[in-house]
């Protein structure tokens, strides 16, 4: 590499290195700032033609991976111990689907969830094992507290409670079921889907929410949020019709600090007026993905919502980094 | 970056071919050389944030998010990147009061990001190995695939750019970690050399060597696939 190319690579001074410039333009949409900088917009248009065979290597790779997986599964089937290893329990070393386990009043127990992670069951808590299948790990927290630390494909691991279901999206979180069955969740890493009564909210790290038996989940709010904000968010979620004060307040909700609350309100609100207000606010901040339109989102079609969420949640970084500890 | 430092950087030439000893942080994120203090406004924000000022932390977030995103993007499976960035800043917020020397903030934050990313990478490998030993994901060579799969542009690239990006990401995945990280910060996050130095704690000389040698390798690998002239 000569000096002149080196200077362009260093700080864009000196003569342009065409390859570096092409790479800047092609790769910048993958960056944290999520926008192409002005200098790239001013550069030359895209060149070249995409070859029809360009996807072939990935297909071949995927096929090879699938075959390897199938071969491995056929060889290993039935040889792995089933259930979960237990640490810290006086009588149990392993639990299987259909069994329950109770931690003593003095000490917690830890369940190893295969290669996915672990669940720490707090002292005095009681947990049932619903399913230990590779593609669906399900527990039932009857009472007490647990902390799940899971690294798995989204939606492979879930914890049910008397009030609802928490579905892991790759994360660490705490669940607490009180004597009345109300479940409180606090997410410390990643994201968790929390659902009941056919309503699902997405709680990112730095937020908490709860479900009372027979109710839908509350809207996740950041840790340490003003109780007045929590109360007003809950009121908005429950309202079928908004008064003028609620309309004004919905228009002022902070898209950065309370971004995940805004999204979940939009995703679950009963009021069509509230949905429309929040849609307009979100759409002004986050462009809709290709192939997704306003109607699909206002109708909350799952695939469209999933695609948009991937864009919207990038701003939740602000919220989680600013949330209380 | 100070003018004196910039002048010092400009004094270094032909680092691709010289015997200059580059800083190449280890796989564990450890660093060799470190640079001078960060920009004065960063220092002020760091001190304020240490005393619990959230607005100051927000400003730090604004300035360092591209660096954290870039480091995580360079070392972790693409699918985990958004969540890992959150985790890094949550850790930083929690641990910042214990940081004794605010001047070390940039290197400290970068180290957190590298460790989190490498933990995620190891989890990904363990998971892949548990499913199928020898299958994709079981070796370092599969970083290329991990970098490409699930890496989603925010919006807008043309098909030609998208294909170039896919090939470039795959090639970046095969580079040594220090080169890969520095090139991601430059080409993906759009930082220039002096910004990379100021916000990662690496010396300008190390950044320049990593950029220069990394780009040389990247160019060769793209040329080998026909993606570059």
């Amino acid at each position: 590499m000569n000096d002149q190319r080196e200077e362009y690579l260093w700080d864009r001074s000196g003569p342009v290195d065409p390859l570096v410039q092409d790479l800047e333009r092609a790769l910048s949409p993958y960056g944290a700032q999520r926008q192409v900088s002005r200098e790239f917009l001013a550069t030359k248009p895209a060149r070249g033609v995409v070859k029809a065979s360009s996807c072939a290597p990935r297909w071949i790779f995927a096929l090879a991976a699938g075959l390897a997986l199938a071969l491995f599964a056929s060889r290993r089937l039935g040889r792995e111990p089933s259930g979960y290893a237990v640490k810290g329990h006086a009588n149990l070393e392993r639990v299987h689907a259909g069994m329950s386990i109770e931690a003593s009043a003095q000490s917690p127990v830890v369940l190893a969830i295969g290669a996915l992670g672990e669940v720490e069951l707090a002292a005095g808590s009681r947990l049932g094992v619903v399913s230990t299948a590779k593609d669906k790990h399900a527990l039932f927290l009857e009472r007490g507290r647990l902390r799940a630390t899971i690294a798995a494909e989204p939606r492979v691991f879930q914890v049910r409670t008397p009030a609802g279901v928490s579905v892991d999206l790759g994360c660490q979180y705490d669940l607490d079921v009180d004597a009345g069955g109300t479940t409180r969740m606090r997410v410390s890493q990643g994201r968790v889907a929390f659902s009941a009564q056919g309503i699902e909210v997405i709680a990112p790290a730095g937020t908490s929410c709860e479900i009372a038996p027979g109710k839908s989940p509350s809207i996740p709010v950041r840790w340490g949020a003003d109780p007045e904000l929590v109360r007003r968010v809950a009121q908005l979620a429950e309202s079928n019709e908004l008064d003028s004060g609620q309309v004004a307040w919905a228009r002022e909700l902070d898209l950065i600090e309370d971004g995940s609350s805004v999204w979940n309100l939009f995703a679950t609100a009963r009021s069509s007026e509230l949905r429309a207000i929040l849609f307009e606010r979100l759409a002004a901040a986050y462009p809709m993905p290709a192939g997704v339109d306003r109607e699909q989102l206002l109708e909350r079609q799952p695939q469209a919502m999933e695609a948009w969420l991937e864009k919207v949640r990038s701003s939740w970084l602000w919220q989680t980094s600013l949330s209380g500890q | 970056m100070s003018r004196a430092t910039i002048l010092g950087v400009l004094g270094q030439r032909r680092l691709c071919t010289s015997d200059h000893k580059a800083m190449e942080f280890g796989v564990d994120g450890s660093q060799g050389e470190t640079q001078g203090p960060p920009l004065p406004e960063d220092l002020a924000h760091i001190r304020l944030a240490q005393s619990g000022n959230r607005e100051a932390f927000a400003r730090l977030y604004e300035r360092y998010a591209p660096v954290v995103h870039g480091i995580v993007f360079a070392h972790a499976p693409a699918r985990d990147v958004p969540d890992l960035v959150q985790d890094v800043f949550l850790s930083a917020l929690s641990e910042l009061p214990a940081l004794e020397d605010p001047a070390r903030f940039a290197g400290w934050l970068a180290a957190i990001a590298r460790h989190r990313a490498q933990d995620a990478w190891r989890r990904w490998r363990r998971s892949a190995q548990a499913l199928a030993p020898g299958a994709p994901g079981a070796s370092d060579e599969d970083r290329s695939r991990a970098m490409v799969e699930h890496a989603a542009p925010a919006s807008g690239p043309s098909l030609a750019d998208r294909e170039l990006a896919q090939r470039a990401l795959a090639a970046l995945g095969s580079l040594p970690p220090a080169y890969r990280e520095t090139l991601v910060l430059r080409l993906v996050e759009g930082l220039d050399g002096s910004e990379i130095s100021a916000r990662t704690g690496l010396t300008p000389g190390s950044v320049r060597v990593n950029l220069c040698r990394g780009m040389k390798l990247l160019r060769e690998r793209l040329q080998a696939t026909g993606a570059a002239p």
Side-chain angles (χ1 to χ4, degrees):
Chain A
M1 180 183 289
N2 61 36
D3 286 357
Q4 292 179 336
R5 275 183 176 177
E6 198 176 307
E7 288 316 307
Y8 184 80
L9 180 61
W10 175 256
D11 62 1
R12 302 183 188 87
S13 65
V16 170
D17 180 331
L19 178 58
V20 172
Q21 190 179 48
D22 286 349
L23 290 171
E24 288 176 312
R25 187 188 62 248
L27 291 174
S28 62
Y30 294 80
Q33 293 172 2
R34 299 292 178 192
Q35 59 187 6
V36 182
S37 65
R38 285 186 295 278
E39 66 191 272
F40 301 147
L41 295 176
T43 57
K44 58 190 173 185
R47 298 171 300 124
V49 176
V50 177
K51 296 174 184 171
S53 63
S54 62
C55 292
R58 292 184 63 184
W59 279 105
I60 292 168
F61 206 63
L63 181 62
L67 288 171
L69 193 60
L71 179 63
F72 173 72
S74 66
R75 291 173 61 188
R76 294 292 300 270
L77 196 61
R79 289 204 299 165
E80 285 187 353
S82 61
Y84 303 135
V86 176
K87 283 185 257 179
H89 195 278
N91 304 315
L92 279 173
E93 291 186 348
R94 203 157 193 93
V95 289
H96 303 274
M99 294 175 67
S100 290
I101 183 169
E102 188 164 339
S104 72
Q106 288 76 38
S107 60
V109 297
V110 176
L111 276 64
I113 310 298
L116 305 183
E118 64 178 34
V119 167
E120 182 179 328
L121 185 65
S125 304
R126 184 177 172 84
L127 183 75
V129 180
V130 178
S131 169
T132 62
K134 278 188 167 52
D135 58 350
K136 185 175 182 181
H137 297 261
L139 304 174
F140 176 72
L141 180 60
E142 185 179 329
R143 68 163 190 270
R145 288 180 294 116
L146 66 74
R147 166 167 287 190
T149 305
I150 299 294
E153 290 294 323
R155 301 190 183 276
V156 168
F157 175 82
Q158 60 175 240
V159 181
R160 304 171 188 177
T161 75
V165 183
S166 66
V167 179
D168 174 89
L169 301 174
C171 56
Q172 181 182 70
Y173 61 100
D174 296 273
L175 280 179
D176 187 338
V177 177
D178 68 16
T182 295
T183 304
R184 295 179 180 81
M185 182 173 72
R186 182 179 168 93
V187 183
S188 44
Q189 290 181 23
R191 290 175 295 146
V192 182
F194 204 31
S195 64
Q197 311 298 315
I199 302 292
E200 180 178 277
V201 296
I202 304 292
T207 66
S208 55
C209 54
E210 67 177 46
I211 306 177
K215 303 280 189 181
S216 54
S218 70
I219 300 295
V221 291
R222 61 190 149 83
W223 304 340
D226 185 337
E228 177 63 10
L229 180 135
V230 177
R231 186 185 68 77
R232 296 184 80 162
V233 164
Q235 273 188 346
L236 271 183
E238 295 292 320
S239 298
N240 290 313
E241 292 185 4
L242 306 185
D243 60 34
S244 58
Q246 286 178 310
V247 168
W249 196 73
R251 291 187 195 283
E252 290 173 3
L253 263 171
D254 190 327
L255 279 186
I256 301 298
E257 190 155 280
D258 296 307
S260 65
S261 300
V262 173
W263 171 265
N264 282 299
L265 272 173
F266 168 66
T268 64
R270 295 178 182 175
S271 159
S272 57
E273 182 183 11
L274 178 60
R275 275 208 310 278
I277 290 170
L278 297 178
F279 170 80
E280 297 303 338
R281 295 201 58 206
L282 289 165
Y286 308 103
M288 287 178 279
V292 172
D293 60 34
R294 182 178 192 277
E295 284 63 39
Q296 290 172 329
L297 291 168
L298 284 174
E299 289 170 6
R300 297 186 283 209
Q301 293 181 11
Q303 284 186 332
M305 292 288 281
E306 187 76 19
W308 203 25
L309 175 60
E310 287 304 304
K311 291 185 177 296
V312 172
R313 75 185 179 94
S314 63
S315 74
W316 297 356
L317 309 175
W318 276 95
Q319 176 192 339
T320 52
S321 63
L322 294 173
S323 58
Q325 297 293 294
Chain B
M1 181 175 213
S2 72
R3 181 172 173 78
T5 310
I6 293 171
L7 290 173
V9 170
L10 292 176
Q12 300 174 51
R13 288 289 185 271
R14 286 186 284 279
L15 292 175
C16 280
T17 53
S18 77
D19 291 330
H20 177 86
K21 185 69 176 174
M23 193 300 307
E24 293 177 17
F25 54 80
V27 175
D28 63 353
S30 61
Q31 296 178 15
E33 305 168 30
T34 55
Q35 66 143 64
L39 297 173
E41 62 264 37
D42 280 357
L43 266 181
H45 285 134
I46 293 162
R47 291 197 178 101
L48 281 171
Q50 283 187 302
S51 65
N53 185 315
R54 294 294 169 83
E55 187 63 25
F57 190 83
R59 297 287 80 77
L60 290 175
Y61 180 94
E62 190 173 42
R63 290 178 62 79
Y64 286 85
V67 173
V68 169
H69 183 275
I71 290 173
V72 169
F73 190 88
H75 300 300
R79 65 175 191 190
D80 295 334
V81 169
D83 292 333
L84 285 171
V85 174
Q86 293 184 38
D87 293 343
V88 170
F89 276 102
L90 279 172
S91 291
L93 183 64
S94 167
E95 302 297 327
L96 189 56
L99 178 66
E100 290 183 1
D101 181 1
R104 297 179 64 84
F105 174 80
W108 172 80
L109 184 65
I112 293 175
R114 288 188 195 111
H115 281 124
R116 287 299 179 109
Q118 285 151 4
D119 285 347
W121 173 251
R122 282 192 283 269
R123 281 198 302 272
W124 191 79
R125 283 185 59 178
R126 275 201 302 271
S127 172
Q129 285 173 327
L131 286 170
S139 68
D140 282 342
E141 286 71 30
D142 293 307
R143 276 188 188 278
S144 298
R145 184 166 161 265
M147 262 191 108
V148 172
E149 284 199 346
H150 307 291
S155 62
S158 65
L159 280 176
D161 276 353
R162 191 179 285 257
E163 179 167 336
L164 175 60
Q166 295 281 307
R167 292 188 181 196
L169 290 174
L172 280 167
S174 70
L175 297 184
Y179 296 170
R180 181 170 66 241
E181 178 184 303
T182 313
L183 280 173
V184 165
L185 292 172
R186 171 66 182 83
L187 299 172
V188 178
E189 305 298 341
L191 304 175
D192 67 29
S194 57
E195 290 172 323
I196 294 170
S197 171
R199 297 186 202 172
T200 59
L202 306 183
T203 63
S206 297
V207 172
R208 184 175 281 264
V209 170
N210 289 343
L211 279 177
C212 189
R213 293 183 182 168
M215 190 62 213
K216 183 170 182 285
L217 283 177
L218 180 62
R219 191 184 302 274
E220 289 168 0
R221 290 180 189 182
L222 288 175
Q223 284 170 340
T225 66

